[in-house]
Amino acid sequence: MIPWVHLDTSAIPGETASLRLMRRGDEYAIVVDSIELMNSRRSGSERALASLACARLRDRPAPRVLIGGLGMGFTLRAALGELGPGARIVVAELIPAVAAWARGPLAHLFAGSLDDPRVTLHETDVHHLIAASPGGYDAILLDVDNGPEGLVQRSNDRLYDVAGLGRARRALRPGGLLGVWSESPDRKFKSRLQRGGFAVEEHKVRSAGSGGRHVVWIGERMEGAAAAASTR
């Protein structure tokens, strides 16, 4: 078996664990300790996060989408494939090394997507962009952890708790969509989304071929009486 080769390491802000970029032949992985966050051969659910949401934005002339987490670029590339020339995609990546890997050893996976004129990359916490942009987005797509209970950075809980979902809802335009990726189902989080004023769809998507299934939630911002009823 071809051994894994350690290419680079980066600190995670506020954490003692480190993020590592690994390669085995033509396969790449990003890991924290012994936990694999993403793998270049298993991208189906990351792409589904974008396609499930962005396919519903095609009728909007100039949709604005926020992606939390750059990763290996699969969500970004899928969003670009779904959206037209008038779209604008903002990507928030907290760890500078991940952005550097995207233009270095992982550049072939990104296939020039960061140079697309529709894309703006910010090296910042997606929480800050959500909080600073009331009514600013047609969709917010979050893939910054292994799910609401699989946090890489403890402070990311503020994206998934009641207050965080409220901030995300306020950052969306009417009828806007909140997409969240998770390694596994989470009934409590799904219920929290519904109580937060979202009409929720849960999709179980294969990561690759016959591999395991991950979960993508798509929450549509409800308005008026429907939203009030969902919070009771």
Side-chain angles (χ1 to χ4, degrees), residues 26-188:
D26 61 357
E27 178 183 8
Y28 292 81
I30 296 177
V31 301
V32 174
D33 292 332
S34 60
I35 301 171
E36 183 177 88
L37 299 181
M38 59 203 74
N39 185 291
S40 61
R41 292 185 177 177
R42 294 188 287 274
S43 62
S45 54
E46 287 86 351
R47 289 184 279 111
L49 173 63
S51 59
L52 288 167
C54 294
R56 295 166 59 171
L57 302 178
R58 290 173 182 166
D59 293 336
R60 302 194 183 196
R64 193 160 184 251
V65 176
L66 172 62
I67 297 176
L70 180 61
M72 292 184 173
F74 297 116
T75 300
L76 172 59
R77 288 180 62 184
L80 287 169
E82 293 285 351
L83 299 172
R88 294 294 178 266
I89 301 176
V90 177
V91 182
E93 174 52 55
L94 178 66
I95 302 174
V98 174
W101 297 341
R103 296 192 181 278
L106 301 181
H108 62 291
L109 299 178
F110 282 82
S113 56
L114 287 175
D115 297 320
D116 190 297
R118 294 172 290 174
V119 176
T120 303
L121 174 63
H122 293 278
E123 293 183 9
T124 188
D125 191 327
V126 67
H127 162 79
H128 298 316
L129 296 185
I130 292 172
S133 307
Y137 299 103
D138 295 279
I140 298 171
L141 309 178
L142 297 179
D143 182 13
V144 297
D145 299 287
N146 270 357
E149 298 300 326
L151 303 182
V152 174
Q153 188 184 31
R154 287 185 294 271
S155 63
N156 282 347
D157 186 61
R158 62 187 175 182
L159 296 174
Y160 308 109
D161 62 14
V162 172
L165 294 179
R167 284 188 290 269
R169 188 178 184 279
R170 289 189 293 274
L172 290 169
R173 295 166 179 167
L177 304 170
L178 174 63
V180 180
W181 184 96
S182 179
E183 188 177 38
S184 57
D186 186 328
R187 286 184 295 176
K188 290 182 179 180

Side-chain angles (χ1 to χ4, degrees), residues 23 154 207 216:
R23 184 187 69 211
R154 287 185 294 271
S207 58
V216 173

